[in-house]
Amino acid sequence: MKLTRILPFIIPIVLTACADNTVSESISVSDSLPITETAAPESAESDSSDASTTDSTETNSDTDYIGICGEVFEPEMFKEDPDAVLNMYLYYRTDYGYTALFDGRTYNSYNDPEKFDLENWECTERCEAASGGYFIINKGDKIGSLTCTDAFAEYYVNDVSPLNDAFGLMSSSVCFEGEIEVTGYIDRYDGDEGYVEEGELHFYPDGESWQEMPIEYNSGYLLYSLKDERLIYAPFRISLGVVSDYSALDLEREIPQGSTAHMKLVLKDLQLNYVNTNFGSYTISTATIVSAEKID
């Protein structure tokens, strides 16, 4: 996925951890940075083509831009995009993305009815999705059975429109190869929701099966209403395509149209995306089902 300009409308784990290290011209991130205790991964040397290690770099707060994990971007690094319809923003694309490790907390009204006010459709407990902090992840880094195959982030500088911040993160995308076994709830949509395809499958992982696995940058807890009118409180959901993509798995029978099913899945091709637009930010996770088994 290539995001360009925004129009002004308003477990072994190997990661590079966020810290207050600075980076100039060729973005550099320390090879051995302090790790938050929550995630506690091992540090590893980045293989980024435009990365070099630096012990310290003087920063100028009046001219430099600070990234999500403390990177320092110099103004001259931001360029116009020749493919954009209107070059109203400058942007810089990194060769790494951002992720956090999920701590496993999701709640649903099947198993945790005491955590929900069903009359008012509310979850009575509030959670932070990335309590361990966000990390830089590079191509080749591993999280459990997953290996990062591609990652990037895009930052913008806006010196034109007064409706937007002068600097910010425009997107983060991280792709993985490898398989993971997880459990959770799948909704199969009727196709009458407007923006959802007929037969589209949305998966909500339960807490333990996704624990210590990656989540998108800026994942935030939302209360989702499932097709069987139960509630789930989770920081993300995963789009698995449409039921017709899986004719060999007999999902037509396991998940009747417009219903919810509790499933054990093996997934591959996980992709985590964060997108920031003038109308707000959102996250998109996608994956492909390898095998599926109905739990109850």
Side-chain angles (χ1 to χ4, degrees):
M1 181 181 68
K2 175 71 169 70
L3 297 182
T4 53
R5 206 70 74 242
I6 306 175
L7 299 182
F9 290 117
I10 305 278
I11 134 193
I13 304 167
V14 183
L15 294 175
T16 305
C18 298
D20 291 331
N21 291 66
T22 59
V23 198
S24 63
E25 184 45 43
S26 58
I27 298 293
S28 66
V29 181
S30 173
D31 292 334
S32 300
L33 304 180
I35 309 296
T36 58
E37 292 183 359
T38 302
E42 301 171 4
S43 62
E45 183 176 348
S46 169
D47 62 357
S48 301
S49 60
D50 66 346
S52 60
T53 305
T54 181
D55 292 328
S56 64
T57 303
E58 293 296 326
T59 65
N60 186 335
S61 60
D62 293 331
T63 58
D64 292 333
Y65 303 102
I66 308 301
I68 298 300
C69 289
E71 314 100 302
V72 175
F73 302 97
E74 296 176 357
E76 57 266 29
M77 299 168 67
F78 290 79
K79 309 296 183 183
E80 290 187 354
D81 184 352
D83 297 327
V85 177
L86 295 174
N87 286 316
M88 306 188 79
Y89 285 78
L90 303 179
Y91 89 110
Y92 180 81
R93 176 173 169 139
T94 71
D95 61 356
Y96 57 82
Y98 300 105
T99 188
L101 301 184
F102 185 44
D103 65 7
R105 286 180 297 174
T106 64
Y107 307 122
N108 62 72
S109 60
Y110 304 93
N111 303 321
D112 312 295
E114 73 282 359
K115 296 184 183 296
F116 291 86
D117 179 350
L118 298 178
E119 183 175 344
N120 294 304
W121 288 59
E122 294 179 351
C123 183
T124 56
E125 185 164 334
R126 293 291 180 263
C127 301
E128 293 294 330
S131 56
Y134 289 99
F135 296 88
I136 286 171
I137 184 166
N138 294 273
K139 182 178 180 179
D141 288 345
K142 298 179 182 297
I143 302 179
S145 61
L146 302 176
T147 301
C148 179
T149 57
D150 189 30
F152 69 84
E154 289 183 318
Y155 285 90
Y156 69 88
V157 171
N158 167 31
D159 56 3
V160 177
S161 172
L163 300 177
N164 301 90
D165 294 333
F167 169 75
L169 179 66
M170 189 161 62
S171 70
S172 173
S173 180
V174 183
C175 302
F176 295 93
E177 68 178 6
E179 297 182 355
I180 53 173
E181 183 177 281
V182 292
T183 57
Y185 296 89
I186 292 183
D187 266 353
R188 178 178 169 183
Y189 280 76
D190 297 327
D192 58 359
E193 284 83 0
Y195 64 94
V196 180
E197 291 186 63
E198 183 174 356
E200 188 166 334
L201 303 173
H202 287 177
F203 178 60
Y204 305 84
D206 62 22
E208 295 303 316
S209 68
W210 205 270
Q211 192 167 3
E212 297 300 316
M213 290 291 101
I215 56 177
E216 316 103 330
Y217 172 72
N218 208 31
S219 297
Y221 275 83
L222 295 172
L223 187 67
Y224 297 99
S225 175
L226 303 184
K227 288 298 180 183
D228 61 2
E229 299 185 353
R230 298 298 183 102
L231 302 177
I232 189 165
Y233 182 63
F236 66 107
R237 65 183 179 184
I238 302 172
S239 175
L240 301 177
V242 297
V243 70
S244 60
D245 294 335
Y246 304 105
S247 57
L249 298 181
D250 200 20
L251 296 184
E252 287 280 359
R253 181 178 60 85
E254 298 283 13
I255 316 171
Q257 186 160 324
S259 69
T260 303
H262 193 199
M263 307 287 290
K264 179 168 70 174
L265 304 176
V266 174
L267 301 178
K268 67 176 183 179
D269 301 330
L270 177 67
Q271 183 169 348
L272 306 175
N273 294 313
Y274 164 79
V275 180
N276 180 25
T277 74
N278 295 290
F279 303 102
S281 62
Y282 58 94
T283 57
I284 310 172
S285 290
T286 59
T288 301
I289 302 174
V290 177
S291 65
E293 177 185 343
K294 196 167 186 177
I295 296 176
D296 49 36

